[in-house]
Amino acid sequence: MTNSATEKFLIVFFRITMAWTFLYAASHQVFVHDFSVVGFLKSTKTFHDQFAVFTTPAMAPITTFLVEYGHLLIGLSLLLGLMTRVSAAFGIVLMLVYWMAHMDWPFVENSNNLIFDYHLVYAGVLSYLIYKRAGHVFGLDGWLENLRFVRENSLLRPLVA
């Protein structure tokens, strides 16, 4: 566990800013009824064939739902410090998928970003939150971990560890 006040501040700061990033994205998706991931995924270049599968009429509604509510749940989880390691891991996967979707090798999103862009930075921050057990710093994970029900249930312990 962290000891210094500075380190605790940084952990909470990164957890809240990443929560805001996911919640802000969710606000433009969940509350906009005509949102779809199809437009975004159809414009992929380097990995177009891999992402085209998710734009088919059968898959598009499922993919859109998973993206919308994935952003919302990851954001809420990070904000509350609840199941932070799980949500951060899903956030890393999403960031890597977005990084690949934006790629026009060797550029990412535009000609100013050579190989690296902010998606990889976000993935790095989320990795830091996992490593530092960020849900235990002013979050609900530390409180839940001490509940008898969680301590005695080996399936629940990893969710708040």
Side-chain angles (χ1 to χ4, degrees):
M1 190 72 162
T2 58
N3 294 325
S4 79
T6 303
E7 192 168 21
K8 287 181 180 180
F9 170 79
L10 286 173
I11 290 169
V12 172
F13 173 77
F14 286 134
R15 199 181 84 217
I16 299 302
T17 55
M18 288 307 302
W20 172 256
T21 301
F22 282 99
L23 290 172
Y24 188 71
S27 73
H28 289 82
Q29 298 164 350
V30 173
F31 303 115
V32 176
H33 298 291
D34 61 345
F35 170 77
S36 175
V37 297
V38 172
F40 171 69
L41 292 178
K42 281 194 174 195
S43 66
T44 59
K45 294 181 177 144
T46 302
F47 298 101
H48 181 74
D49 294 339
Q50 288 77 13
F51 287 108
V53 173
F54 300 104
T55 64
T56 63
M59 283 299 296
I62 296 167
T63 306
T64 298
F65 177 84
L66 290 173
V67 167
E68 290 171 332
Y69 289 95
H71 282 148
L72 182 63
L73 291 175
I74 291 168
L76 289 173
S77 172
L78 292 172
L79 183 67
L80 298 172
L82 177 64
M83 293 177 40
T84 306
R85 294 177 116 186
V86 175
S87 64
F90 279 109
I92 290 169
V93 170
L94 265 179
M95 290 301 109
L96 295 176
V97 167
Y98 294 160
W99 174 70
M100 290 176 13
H102 281 224
M103 189 172 288
D104 185 9
W105 186 259
F107 302 105
V108 182
E109 196 166 4
N110 60 51
S111 62
N112 293 327
N113 294 323
L114 184 66
I115 302 173
F116 298 101
D117 78 337
Y118 61 94
H119 294 101
L120 292 181
V121 174
Y122 290 164
V125 169
L126 291 167
S127 298
Y128 174 77
L129 294 177
I130 290 171
Y131 176 71
K132 287 298 189 175
R133 300 177 69 199
H136 290 258
V137 182
F138 302 112
L140 295 176
D141 282 347
W143 175 73
L144 281 173
E145 187 177 51
N146 292 319
L147 293 178
R148 190 173 134 229
F149 177 73
V150 175
R151 281 194 321 255
E152 292 174 357
N153 191 328
S154 61
L155 295 175
L156 293 178
R157 272 182 287 174
L159 298 177
V160 295

